[in-house]
């Protein structure tokens, strides 16, 4: 399955017939629990959005830079000689305009990479700063209408960096394992989202993604619970993405999503395409209405 990028910038037409560009839809990929496959899911969702003809930017807001490295940009992550990285942009709003110089162009989607300077520094140095939770939004605002969708990959934590992702975002996708501890951890994430809503306005939960689901009774029980609590109880869609080798091979061997991988395919691509359709319909499409 291979994808070819054909872009349609987000635009609106005024009553006078003037076409103007609008801001991108921003989606945070977030769960405070680690090991839920959040980073790989981010890559596949980005690929699915690109496959729909959307121009996509992925932001690696996780200091460890897993997404940056997985996509083959180890040098960008470990480059401590460069004057400006994402670390500096977040700490100094006056440098936000430099963001375009940091974006790495890709065949499938673009990347704003993490940098090693962020480890044990960015979050701590942001705490106590004015508008500390708005720094990512300030940075992305400088990109203007260059993209249809921005996906933000996050560290598995509740802190000022993940708050930044929530404040900047129009919606949240929550990857989770179909296991008791992962499902229980959603309560803490909900409290973080509620805290951001209180001060910065509504943050929309777009969907829950039960990721890397195994075929066993425990997983079946947790899926039933997720669908009952979120889909039936709250009207939040739940997507079941079962564990598939080709989803891992696409990234590990080809550094791309399943939608652009050569000679690989997966039945789960259909489910991930549904997630992308949700983002497109609820955020991108509404912005253009």
């Amino acid at each position: 399955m291979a994808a070819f990028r054909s872009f349609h910038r987000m635009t609106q037409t005024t009553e006078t017939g003037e076409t103007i560009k609008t801001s991108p839809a921003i989606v945070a990929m977030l769960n405070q629990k680690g090991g839920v496959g959040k980073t790989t899911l981010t890559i596949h969702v980005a690929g699915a959005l690109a496959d729909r003809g959307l121009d996509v930017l992925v932001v690696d807001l996780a200091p460890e830079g897993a997404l940056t490295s997985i996509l083959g940009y180890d040098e960008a992550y470990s480059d401590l000689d460069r004057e400006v990285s994402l670390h500096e942009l977040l700490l100094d709003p006056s440098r936000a305009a430099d963001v375009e110089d940091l974006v790495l162009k890709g065949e499938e989607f673009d990347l704003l990479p993490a940098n090693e300077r962020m480890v044990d520094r960015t979050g701590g140095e942001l705490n106590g700063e004015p508008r500390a939770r708005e720094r990512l939004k300030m940075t992305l605002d400088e990109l203007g209408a260059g993209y249809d969708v921005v996906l933000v990959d996050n560290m598995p934590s509740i802190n000022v960096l993940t708050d930044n992702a929530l404040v900047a975002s129009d919606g949240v996708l929550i990857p989770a394992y179909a296991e008791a501890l992962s499902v229980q951890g959603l309560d803490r994430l909900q409290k973080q989202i509620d805290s951001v809503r209180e001060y910065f306005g509504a943050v929309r939960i777009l969907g829950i993604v039960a990721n890397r689901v195994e075929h066993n009774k425990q997983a079946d029980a947790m899926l039933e619970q997720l669908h009952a609590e979120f889909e039936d109880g709250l009207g939040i869609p739940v997507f079941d993405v079962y564990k598939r080798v080709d989803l891992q091979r696409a990234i590990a061997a080809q550094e791309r999503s399943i939608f652009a991988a050569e000679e690989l395919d997966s039945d789960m691509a259909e489910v991930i395409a549904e997630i992308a359709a949700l983002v497109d319909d609820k955020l991108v499409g509404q912005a253009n209405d």
Side-chain angles (χ1 to χ4, degrees):
M1 183 181 296
F4 299 91
R5 299 178 74 184
S6 58
F7 307 143
H8 66 273
R9 305 285 189 188
M10 294 177 65
T11 60
Q12 290 180 342
T13 303
T14 65
E15 293 181 358
T16 62
E18 179 186 6
T19 299
I20 58 174
K21 293 179 180 179
T22 60
S23 299
I26 303 177
V27 179
M29 307 290 288
L30 189 60
N31 193 328
Q32 56 85 31
K33 186 181 187 305
V36 297
K38 175 175 48 56
T39 296
T40 55
L41 182 66
T42 300
I43 293 171
H44 289 307
V45 172
L49 288 163
D51 198 49
R52 294 178 68 85
L54 297 172
D55 196 357
V56 182
L57 173 70
V58 176
V59 178
D60 189 356
L61 196 59
E64 292 76 13
L67 189 144
T68 300
S69 295
I70 286 172
L71 291 176
Y73 296 109
D74 287 302
E75 288 187 10
Y77 176 73
S78 59
D79 184 2
L80 299 178
D81 294 326
R82 68 176 308 133
E83 182 181 348
V84 180
S85 71
L86 184 54
H87 171 74
E88 283 74 29
L89 297 188
L90 294 173
L91 289 176
D92 185 357
S94 70
R95 308 183 81 162
D98 293 331
V99 62
E100 292 189 15
D101 295 333
L102 296 182
V103 172
L104 302 172
K105 301 295 184 179
E107 292 182 7
E108 196 175 5
F109 49 80
D110 296 344
L111 172 69
L112 178 56
N115 185 270
E116 194 174 342
R117 288 195 191 114
M118 296 170 66
V119 177
D120 297 327
R121 291 185 58 189
T122 308
E125 292 178 29
L126 268 180
N127 279 320
E129 288 291 310
R131 302 179 69 182
R133 294 195 283 181
E134 300 174 65
R135 300 300 180 86
L136 179 63
K137 184 179 186 304
M138 295 177 191
T139 297
L140 295 179
D141 282 348
E142 290 294 330
L143 286 172
Y147 295 93
D148 296 305
V149 187
V150 177
L151 295 184
V152 184
D153 188 33
N154 292 276
M155 64 194 304
S157 182
I158 293 177
N159 58 26
V160 68
L161 286 179
T162 50
D163 277 352
N164 264 269
L166 287 172
V167 171
S169 295
D170 302 297
V172 184
L173 286 171
I174 305 174
Y177 269 166
E179 60 181 27
L181 289 176
S182 183
V183 173
Q184 292 165 7
L186 296 178
D187 293 336
R188 291 184 61 197
L189 181 57
Q190 182 65 61
K191 290 178 182 177
Q192 183 187 17
I193 292 172
D194 290 343
S195 172
V196 169
R197 279 177 176 157
E198 182 178 355
Y199 294 100
F200 297 97
V203 180
R204 183 178 188 175
I205 300 178
L206 294 172
I208 310 291
V209 183
N211 198 28
R212 294 181 180 172
V213 179
E214 303 275 3
H215 290 278
N216 58 54
K217 291 183 179 179
Q218 181 189 18
D220 291 344
M222 289 299 102
L223 286 178
E224 185 176 346
Q225 181 180 340
L226 282 171
H227 282 273
E229 290 186 10
F230 291 94
E231 200 159 61
D232 300 336
L234 299 174
I236 297 172
V238 177
F239 300 91
D240 303 341
V241 178
Y242 282 82
K243 189 174 183 179
R244 295 291 188 267
V245 172
D246 277 356
L247 292 178
Q248 300 300 316
R249 284 178 177 166
I251 295 173
Q254 301 187 32
E255 298 174 344
R256 61 184 69 181
S257 82
I258 191 65
F259 296 89
E262 300 291 341
E263 299 181 356
L264 291 176
D265 201 353
S266 172
D267 57 333
M268 290 298 103
E270 197 172 313
V271 180
I272 297 169
E274 291 175 6
I275 299 171
L278 175 74
V279 173
D280 195 355
D281 295 343
K282 298 296 184 183
L283 296 183
V284 183
Q286 287 188 5
N288 283 320
D289 289 341

